Amino acid sequence: MIAVLDQIAALGIAAELGEVFAAAFAADDPSADAVRFATEQLPTHAARDDFKLVTYETPVAGFAYGFTGYPGQWWSDRIAGAVSPELAADWIGGHFEVVELAVRPSARCQGIGAELMTALVDGLPQRRALLTTYADDRPAPRLYRRLGWQLLVEDLGWGSALYGLELLDRGVPGVR
Ligand SMILES: CC(C)(COP(=O)(O)OP(=O)(O)OC[C@H]1O[C@@H](n2cnc3c(N)ncnc32)[C@H](O)[C@@H]1OP(=O)(O)O)[C@@H](O)C(=O)NCCC(=O)NCCS
């Protein structure tokens, strides 16, 4: 059901992922563009360190991906500029950055989103993971909270909330 894809495999189905992306975000963001996702966003992110993408089913009903983020990258620097210096020092840099989670509208409310997020963070070597999502009450933030993500900043100033997950806390007790 779940497949884990590396850079080459993900780029091999970039067009299909772009369609899922555009369908998933259409209601919230009519400008979500399948071609831009497949030809610009995904190739840029797939080249980043430790890129990992998970899909659900063939044809793809949903996917999620991320990579290791560092200061100097656009997202890391934007978040660092919006949070306290202590939080930035603690969380940003070497974190696993969750970039997208998307499930086709026709496949929702069956646990696919939760399964994708669980598979995405499973076995990651990073100490911590970060993501931004909607600050208001919606399926995505509810899903992250249900899976143990902690709310770090309720509103970063542009309607997004910052969530973090301690990855090493989930392993075998005593093994860090
Ligand atoms: C957010 C998103 C990925 C969730 O995907 P999903 O596959 O529907 O997620 P799940 O099925 O795991 O959970 C969704 C809901 O279904 C419920 N659910 C899960 N399995 C269920 C089942 N078998 N029967 C009934 N309900 C179920 C969950 O409890 C959850 O309910 P809630 O929203 O009231 O908390 C999807 O809505 C989406 O693609 N949204 C647009 C893009 C987006 O917002 N991405 C995240 C940006 S940060």
Side-chain angles (χ1 to χ4, degrees):
M1 296 282 200
I2 293 272
V4 181
L5 279 61
D6 62 11
Q7 175 186 14
I8 291 168
L11 292 177
I13 58 163
E16 184 180 8
L17 295 173
E19 283 167 26
V20 177
F21 170 81
F25 283 96
D28 295 322
D29 178 8
S31 69
D33 184 334
V35 174
R36 198 199 69 77
F37 176 87
T39 60
E40 295 176 32
Q41 177 177 329
L42 188 66
T44 299
H45 288 164
R48 300 260 168 96
D49 285 358
D50 309 309
F51 172 82
K52 178 181 179 183
L53 186 143
V54 291
T55 58
Y56 186 89
E57 285 293 9
T58 310
V60 175
F63 72 93
Y65 79 85
F67 51 76
T68 302
Y70 301 105
Q73 293 172 346
W74 180 85
W75 190 89
S76 288
D77 289 352
R78 187 172 193 219
I79 302 304
V83 304
S84 70
E86 294 76 22
L87 196 153
D90 225 21
W91 282 87
I92 298 171
H95 59 280
F96 184 77
E97 194 167 306
V98 176
V99 181
E100 301 291 1
L101 167 67
V103 174
R104 283 189 189 278
S106 57
R108 288 183 190 163
C109 295
Q110 304 169 34
I112 295 173
E115 209 172 314
L116 284 165
M117 280 303 290
T118 302
L120 185 64
V121 301
D122 184 46
L124 288 176
Q126 294 86 353
R127 197 166 60 97
R128 288 171 162 176
L130 282 173
L131 63 81
T132 49
T133 187
Y134 305 103
D136 53 357
D137 183 36
R138 298 197 201 193
R142 287 199 295 272
L143 186 155
Y144 301 134
R145 286 198 296 270
R146 207 163 57 241
L147 294 180
W149 288 74
Q150 62 178 110
L151 180 60
L152 297 176
V153 179
E154 209 171 312
D155 191 341
L156 290 160
W158 56 87
S160 291
L162 181 67
Y163 283 80
L165 184 68
E166 304 267 6
L167 295 170
L168 292 181
D169 282 356
R170 304 158 313 148
V172 180
V175 176
R176 292 187 70 83

